[in-house]
Amino acid sequence: MNSSDLAFFLAAARHGSIGRAAAALNTVQSNVTARIRALEAEIGEALFTRHSRGVRLTAAGERLMPYALRVGQLLAEAREAVRDDGADPSGALRIGSLETTAALRLPSVLAAFARACPRVDLHVETGTSEALIGKVLDGDLAAAFVVGPVTHAALVAEPMVEEELVLVTAPWLGPPRWLSASPGAAPAAEQAKLIVFRAGCSYRRRFEALIATAGSGEVRHLEFGTLDGIIGCVAAGVGISLLPRAVVESARAAGRIATHPVPSGSARAITVLVRRRDVHVPAALARLADCARSAMSPASRDAA
């Protein structure tokens, strides 16, 4: 078994067809079939079941899959480490970010990074903390800006900036009664939809925990994938949300929304940059982290 055999195996598994795998590998079907049969003979287990529309992994193939993926990732990382002399970073760099961080904090970071590394093609994917952490662990992203704390043993998490969280409502609404209710108090009569990001969002989990602590009773959710959508619905009075103060300050100043403080235990969130502990840190990612430290530091924000 070698890396080339596993590449043929992965192609067939991903495409579900020997023909499509051959096209992806720029070879002929007979070559793919021969390599997979040789791998099956060496392992002593069938890796695929054949059917009229293609192939499907067997139980043995499912067990082999994560190891084959890891071998491919290690080879890609090895090539990157050897080529990465740090002098003039180039190539592609894929990172992730929370929607709120991308809207508020990343523009200055990316402007500085573009000046420092003009030959790097940067790809930024937004999502929830949970989804982005999963993609970093899987090797799909080199790093991601998420809400801490992150304590996974396979990850390094570097604190970047602390955000103050506030309750956001339409401008004509005051804070709900449950916001000042003591733990265990009777459920408030008022009900408002929670305007939130998708499941897996750290701000959403904090919001739900805050409401549960206040004993506000049953709540309903309205999910959005964008920050603009959340702010727009809150401004229209559809519901309420919990967001970083800095993200909604311009909307508050324009009179579109109102903000209300929340209990101190729910009012702070640390944005961290996470990356895999066991992976070589490319020069481009190191430069990006430097830009983030500089742009997100309290001194740089005060100067701005």
Side-chain angles (χ1 to χ4, degrees):
M1 184 191 309
N2 57 42
S3 60
S4 180
D5 294 332
L6 293 176
F8 279 79
F9 164 77
L10 283 174
R14 284 170 173 157
H15 294 282
S17 162
I18 298 297
R20 289 192 292 271
L25 294 168
N26 196 28
T27 187
V28 295
Q29 291 188 40
S30 58
N31 190 23
V32 177
T33 299
R35 297 294 288 270
I36 290 175
R37 284 179 176 168
L39 183 58
E40 290 175 325
E42 181 179 350
I43 293 175
E45 295 281 353
L47 300 174
F48 294 95
T49 57
R50 279 73 176 174
H51 55 84
S52 60
R53 295 183 302 278
V55 295
R56 184 184 302 112
L57 286 172
T58 63
E62 293 282 2
R63 292 193 296 271
L64 179 61
M65 189 70 174
Y67 296 99
L69 287 169
R70 187 67 186 125
V71 168
Q73 290 169 355
L74 284 171
L75 287 171
E77 291 164 13
R79 285 191 291 269
E80 181 179 316
V82 170
R83 295 168 181 168
D84 185 19
D85 63 4
D88 185 18
S90 61
L93 178 65
R94 298 185 62 87
I95 66 166
S97 174
L98 302 169
E99 179 82 18
T100 50
T101 303
L104 177 68
R105 306 296 184 190
L106 278 194
S108 58
V109 175
L110 300 186
F113 180 75
R115 292 191 295 269
C117 301
R119 297 180 61 221
V120 174
D121 295 321
L122 185 64
H123 304 267
V124 181
E125 177 176 336
T126 59
T128 64
S129 290
E130 183 177 297
L132 294 172
I133 288 171
K135 291 196 172 188
V136 171
L137 286 168
D138 290 341
D140 297 329
L141 298 174
F145 292 95
V146 300
V147 175
V150 177
T151 57
H152 197 291
L155 297 174
V156 174
E158 179 182 353
M160 287 291 170
V161 64
E162 183 180 76
E163 302 287 3
E164 178 191 0
L165 302 182
V166 292
L167 186 75
V168 187
T169 70
W172 60 87
L173 295 177
R177 288 194 299 275
W178 56 257
L179 188 58
S180 57
S182 59
E190 67 204 316
Q191 291 292 333
K193 284 188 177 180
L194 308 189
I195 314 296
V196 292
F197 287 110
R198 294 179 293 270
C201 171
S202 297
Y203 297 145
R204 173 176 175 163
R205 284 198 293 266
R206 288 180 183 231
F207 200 5
E208 291 168 342
L210 173 63
I211 292 174
T213 300
S216 63
E218 184 180 356
V219 295
R220 292 164 295 157
H221 298 81
L222 179 58
E223 293 186 2
F224 275 88
T226 66
L227 178 62
D228 286 343
I230 290 178
I231 293 176
C233 280
V234 170
V238 176
I240 60 179
S241 193
L242 184 73
L243 292 168
R245 179 185 292 278
V247 169
V248 298
E249 180 56 30
S250 60
R252 186 207 62 79
R256 296 179 59 208
I257 53 97
T259 60
H260 312 277
V262 297
S264 58
S266 303
R268 300 287 171 179
I270 306 293
T271 299
V272 300
L273 181 64
V274 295
R275 61 172 176 81
R276 287 254 303 277
R277 187 181 300 276
D278 62 344
V279 173
H280 165 76
V281 180
L285 179 56
R287 299 279 184 90
L288 179 74
D290 287 341
C291 293
R293 293 183 198 102
S294 177
M296 294 184 180
S297 70
S300 65
R301 295 199 303 275
D302 292 344

